[in-house]
Amino acid sequence: MTPTNPVREAPTDRDYHYGEFYRLKEPPRTSGPRVAVVGNCQGESLRILLASSGAVTSYRVPPIHEWEEADLPFVEAALAETDVLISQPVRDDYRGLPCGTDQLERLLPEGGRVITYPVLRFNALNPAIAIIRSPKNPSLNPPVVPYHNLKYLAEHAGLERTGEPDYRACLAQTIEQLASRERAHDCVTISDTLNEIPVWHILNHPSNETLIELARRVLRAIDPEVSAEALERIGAEFELLGHLQAPIDPDAAAEFGVDIHRPTWTLEGEPLDELKIRAEQLRFYEENPDVVQAGLTRHRELLGYLGYAV
């Protein structure tokens, strides 16, 4: 039986970063429903923005992909004190742990409820930047930056470029993919804002503008009568997910009338060497043919929109 007050033995600096979750610090005592936000880096950004409204009580929860067996007693203790679980859709037994959204819902007290929000991805301003999971090792990332460039993948695979990119088709695809996730998991919707062509940092690192709008919609889902003042307070003093930024395709920007110039990857504002990224990622493909095949399969349609014969 899980203890009601689990103890973290020999806590680390990371544990203190999540001090309330690991029972090393007293949780905040503010007004509003107690919420727990579960997800990846987007989840913590959403939690920060919800907290900035002053309308909910929350504290940091480690990103779900970092959870281990030893974390489960703390998850159970946290959710036992939670009024609203705000979660990205997570399948049952994710990473071998009973931490799917439906499984976590069972840990809420009587009257507790779940609000889901989608995994956010949008790549219209540089559709060649992509995520590819290795079938052998899903946590494997390419070198230098943890994202793939489909132009390099196509170069390695010897795909012929037979046409010009269809950026409108790329836009329609990325919006529909997000909308389909919203429909499938009954999520708070945000895909309708993508027609405005927001400028994100990377395909899965939204700008504050998008995150703030998502937070407002989630807050309304928590409390349909939330005050206008609380909604207006939502914000942050810095770009929550802006430490790494992907280049923007100038032709895509021109197609959508977006006046922005970002020719290279930047990390903490400093440009990265694109030639190094290309060389090391081409070598990565040589060493990991399963990743190449997974990328060609997953992004076949998108490669076609980018003008490649697939």
Side-chain angles (χ1 to χ4, degrees), residues 19-176:
E20 293 88 355
F21 174 80
Y22 287 118
R23 302 309 209 229
L24 300 171
K25 301 177 185 176
E26 285 294 319
R29 303 295 180 188
T30 58
S31 61
R34 300 166 300 179
V35 304
V37 183
V38 171
N40 54 21
C41 58
Q42 296 173 5
E44 174 57 10
S45 297
L46 175 60
R47 186 201 67 80
I48 290 170
L49 293 172
L50 289 170
S52 72
S53 73
V56 300
T57 297
S58 71
Y59 53 78
R60 291 189 190 102
V61 173
I64 193 168
H65 60 270
E66 294 182 5
W67 289 6
E68 300 176 347
E69 186 78 31
D71 292 320
L72 295 181
F74 298 96
V75 172
E76 294 189 22
L79 292 184
E81 301 171 350
T82 292
D83 299 311
V84 185
L85 169 62
I86 301 166
S87 179
Q88 289 177 324
V90 181
R91 67 179 182 274
D92 280 0
D93 300 320
Y94 173 66
R95 296 171 65 90
L97 300 176
C99 62
T101 305
D102 291 341
Q103 293 168 311
L104 296 181
E105 184 176 9
R106 300 177 197 132
L107 303 177
L108 295 172
E110 185 176 355
R113 57 197 178 102
V114 176
I115 293 171
T116 53
Y117 64 98
V119 175
L120 302 177
R121 290 184 181 170
F122 177 68
N123 67 353
L125 289 177
N126 195 333
I129 303 301
I131 293 173
I132 301 170
R133 300 298 181 199
S134 164
K136 297 179 180 177
N137 179 7
S139 64
L140 181 66
N141 287 320
V144 190
V145 293
Y147 298 88
H148 296 262
N149 188 322
L150 295 182
K151 295 178 181 178
Y152 302 158
L153 184 78
E155 178 183 349
H156 171 80
L159 298 185
E160 183 181 357
R161 189 80 173 268
T162 58
E164 293 300 314
D166 184 344
Y167 293 113
R168 294 286 169 178
C170 294
L171 172 64
Q173 182 195 61
T174 194
I175 292 177
E176 174 52 30

